[in-house]
């Protein structure tokens, strides 16, 4: 089955700096790569996703890059703000709807 | 649209008791999912459904049952509660066609404590 790892597990950055979170997966059949943000006491919310035929996708301050050869994809947040503080999860899937979530990265943006 | 709603928000069960966690979505999504999230961990898929009358096991189905009699509702049943089932349970839904994954929308969660 799919083995998913996220690094780092915690990340503290100063407001305005950039943050990068990496997700490594094992199933070469994975073709859909979403990132979710979970705020305290709430359910996860999709913030950006990418499909296997695309190498990079950007949405304002958030971007995702995909390296299928190396089997990893990364979340990039620029100009971080306090409201970006949350836990971020990746959940690559090979198209079976059996999403495997990473263990999460706790991001703290220090004002 | 209310999105995905879950009830109850919090419940305490005694070992051996049973209960049903309710999940309803009003977005006419065909796919629905149940996950559990243990403290400090990611989400693990319990069961999912691709449409009314169709359900399938996820990563951790033991101790749970589901049914999908309508598009809107996807209840999760715990028959004999055990302490290992203490967790936060999330329901999610998505609209998928042509076997293409689409955005999952999550409910607010149900916190379950089994003592």
């Amino acid at each position: 089955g799919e083995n998913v790892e996220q690094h780092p597990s915690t990340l503290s950055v100063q407001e305005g700096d950039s943050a990068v979170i990496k997700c490594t997966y094992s199933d070469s059949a994975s073709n859909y790569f979403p990132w979710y943000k979970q705020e305290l006491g709430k359910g996860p919310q999709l913030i950006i996703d990418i499909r296997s035929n695309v190498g990079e996708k950007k949405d304002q301050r958030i971007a995702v890059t995909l390296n299928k050869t190396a089997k990893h994809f990364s979340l990039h947040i620029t100009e971080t703000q306090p409201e970006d503080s949350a836990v971020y999860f990746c959940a690559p899937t090979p198209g079976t709807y059996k999403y495997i979530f990473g263990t999460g990265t706790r991001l703290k943006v220090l004002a | 649209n209310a999105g995905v709603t879950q009830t109850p928000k919090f419940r305490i069960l005694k070992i051996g008791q049973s209960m049903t966690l309710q999940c309803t979505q009003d977005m006419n999504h065909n796919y629905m999912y149940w996950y559990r999230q243990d403290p400090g961990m990611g989400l693990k898929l319990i069961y999912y459904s691709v449409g009314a009358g169709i359900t399938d096991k996820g990563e951790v189905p033991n101790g749970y049952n589901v049914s999908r009699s309508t598009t809107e509702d996807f209840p999760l049943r715990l028959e004999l509660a055990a302490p290992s089932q203490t967790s936060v349970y999330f329901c999610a839904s998505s609209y998928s066609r042509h076997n293409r994954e689409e955005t999952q929308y999550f409910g607010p969660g149900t916190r379950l404590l089994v003592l």
Side-chain angles (χ1 to χ4, degrees):
Chain A
E2 178 83 277
N3 184 35
V4 179
E5 294 186 359
Q6 276 183 242
H7 294 283
S9 56
T10 61
L11 179 60
S12 293
V13 299
Q14 290 294 134
E15 183 178 357
D17 287 351
S18 296
V20 181
I21 303 170
K22 185 176 180 179
C23 181
T24 303
Y25 60 95
S26 61
D27 191 341
S28 57
S30 291
N31 57 15
Y32 177 64
F33 308 93
W35 282 100
Y36 289 86
K37 176 183 181 182
Q38 186 176 29
E39 297 176 341
L40 193 62
K42 296 184 178 181
Q45 182 176 18
L46 181 78
I47 55 171
I48 197 165
D49 58 8
I50 195 168
R51 300 187 189 270
S52 58
N53 58 343
V54 177
E56 182 174 354
K57 183 177 178 180
K58 190 174 181 180
D59 183 4
Q60 299 182 352
R61 297 186 297 108
I62 296 172
V64 55
T65 58
L66 172 65
N67 185 328
K68 282 212 75 179
T69 303
K71 289 190 274 189
H72 66 74
F73 61 113
S74 297
L75 175 68
H76 305 256
I77 306 174
T78 60
E79 301 172 22
T80 53
Q81 301 168 3
E83 52 264 38
D84 294 328
S85 295
V87 180
Y88 292 82
F89 293 98
C90 62
T93 177
T96 60
Y97 300 100
K98 292 189 177 183
Y99 296 87
I100 304 295
F101 279 72
T103 51
T105 296
R106 184 173 299 277
L107 174 64
K108 295 181 183 178
V109 179
L110 307 172
Chain B
N1 284 350
V4 180
T5 57
Q6 292 182 238
T7 58
K9 290 183 179 179
F10 177 65
R11 182 77 181 269
I12 299 175
L13 280 183
K14 294 182 180 179
I15 294 172
Q17 286 186 320
S18 61
M19 78 165 292
T20 299
L21 282 66
Q22 301 291 345
C23 175
T24 300
Q25 54 91 9
D26 62 358
M27 297 174 282
N28 200 31
H29 286 172
N30 49 354
Y31 284 73
M32 295 188 74
Y33 316 81
W34 273 107
Y35 294 90
R36 60 176 287 172
Q37 184 177 33
D38 297 331
M41 302 296 288
L43 283 74
K44 292 189 182 294
L45 183 64
I46 305 171
Y47 271 95
Y48 69 101
S49 168
V50 302
I54 306 170
T55 63
D56 203 355
K57 296 178 180 178
E59 192 180 358
V60 290
N62 292 343
Y64 306 94
N65 278 300
V66 293
S67 60
R68 184 96 182 271
S69 57
T70 66
T71 299
E72 295 79 18
D73 301 305
F74 191 40
L76 177 71
R77 180 82 177 164
L78 282 72
E79 290 295 348
L80 292 170
S84 60
Q85 293 178 306
T86 292
S87 191
V88 180
Y89 291 83
F90 289 101
C91 179
S93 71
S94 66
Y95 181 70
S96 299
R97 54 184 174 180
H98 307 309
N99 286 329
R100 175 184 162 102
E101 288 83 0
E102 300 294 348
T103 304
Q104 289 187 80
Y105 294 86
F106 285 82
T110 293
R111 187 175 298 273
L112 178 65
L113 179 60
V114 182
L115 299 174

